Amino acid sequence: GAGVSQTPSNKVTEKGKYVELRCDPISGHTALYWYRQSLGQGPEFLIYFQGTGAADDSGLPNDRFFAVRPEGSVSTLKIQRTERGDSAVYLCASSLTRATNSPLHFGNGTRLTVT
Amino acid sequence: AQKVTQAQTEISVVEKEDVTLDCVYETRDTTYYLFWYKQPPSGELVFLIRRNSFDEQNEISGRYSWNFQKSTSSFNFTITASQVVDSAVYFCALRRNSGNTPLVFGKGTRLSVIA
């Protein structure tokens, strides 16, 4: 079956611009996660959705970052007034349930470059 | 606080050698889950294994084996008879077994298997 799909795969934007990154989770997965991975580092948690609501957004670095999941399926990560330090690979993952033993299934990520 | 340490940044082995990737974790929780993920050059994180903190039995799956030792807070991963296709970055991760808690990753170990 289809895995987690993220679009675009690459995004180059100028400093100060607004970007949206899209995640289409595995069908039927209720939990959705956003992570950010910088070069040479492990993924860092940003936000987690259970259904339509953000269950934990403690990883969002500041108020320029926002994410939505209006219908409990597709999610969009939005970054306002982008900065060069936002450059990273943004990973989306989904899991069948919110249970802590439910493995996360990751997409290929969106590589964001802010020039 | 949850923390995962993968002290080995990079490892290089010759094909057919055995290799062990170390993972040490910190948590105050008595129940938790440990995971290993593989990130090949394509970028997608692939789930390998999940281990419950109550289950200290070692596990073997083909050429892969995992050694969980609660007494030393370690969850090491061994690849037997390594192959070039094993070349990837491997991440160890920890998740508390309570509430809406994110998966916390280590920084990863880059394994290069040379033919």
Side-chain angles (χ1 to χ4, degrees):
Chain A
V4 176
S5 175
Q6 291 188 247
T7 54
S9 54
N10 278 284
K11 176 70 177 178
V12 180
T13 191
E14 292 180 350
K15 180 175 176 290
K17 298 289 188 183
Y18 167 82
V19 295
E20 289 189 353
L21 312 179
R22 176 188 168 107
C23 172
D24 207 333
I26 293 172
S27 178
H29 280 197
T30 61
L32 184 146
Y33 308 78
W34 284 99
Y35 280 78
R36 178 168 72 174
Q37 186 176 21
S38 301
L39 194 62
Q41 302 294 315
E44 293 179 308
F45 170 74
L46 295 177
I47 186 170
Y48 152 51
F49 288 89
Q50 179 58 39
T52 60
D56 183 353
D57 63 359
S58 61
L60 294 177
N62 51 60
D63 61 6
R64 295 186 297 104
F65 288 75
F66 189 70
V68 295
R69 195 185 184 199
E71 297 177 357
S73 179
V74 171
S75 176
T76 305
L77 179 66
K78 308 180 181 194
I79 310 175
Q80 299 177 324
R81 304 183 305 279
T82 52
E83 300 177 356
R84 293 197 179 88
D86 299 335
S87 297
V89 175
Y90 288 80
L91 296 167
C92 178
S94 67
S95 63
L96 185 59
T97 72
R98 59 179 282 177
T100 50
N101 65 345
S102 188
L104 274 60
H105 299 271
F106 284 83
N108 284 335
T110 293
R111 181 176 299 279
L112 176 66
T113 304
V114 182
T115 61
Chain B
Q2 321 290 306
K3 184 178 178 182
V4 176
T5 302
Q6 295 179 255
Q8 304 149 309
T9 305
E10 293 191 37
I11 300 176
S12 185
V13 299
V14 176
E15 201 170 23
K16 298 183 184 176
E17 286 185 350
D18 298 347
V19 59
T20 295
L21 310 182
D22 298 333
C23 172
V24 174
Y25 62 92
E26 295 175 31
T27 180
R28 291 198 181 104
D29 295 291
T30 55
T31 60
Y32 48 88
Y33 287 90
L34 294 162
F35 300 79
W36 274 95
Y37 280 82
K38 174 182 180 179
Q39 189 174 43
S42 61
E44 182 176 351
L45 279 156
V46 177
F47 166 71
L48 294 178
I49 191 171
R50 170 191 62 222
R51 171 64 72 222
N52 183 318
S53 57
F54 285 117
D55 181 3
E56 289 197 65
Q57 282 190 347
N58 291 333
E59 180 157 343
I60 298 174
S61 176
R63 295 185 298 107
Y64 294 173
S65 62
W66 290 270
N67 183 352
F68 175 35
Q69 293 197 339
K70 208 167 180 178
S71 60
T72 56
S73 296
S74 66
F75 185 42
N76 297 337
F77 173 29
T78 297
I79 302 175
T80 303
S82 59
Q83 299 176 2
V84 172
V85 294
D86 296 328
S87 297
V89 181
Y90 291 86
F91 291 96
C92 181
L94 167 69
R95 191 174 191 185
R96 300 174 66 191
N97 187 28
S98 63
N100 298 319
T101 56
L103 195 58
V104 175
F105 285 85
K107 291 188 176 182
T109 297
R110 179 177 298 279
L111 173 65
S112 298
V113 181
I114 303 164

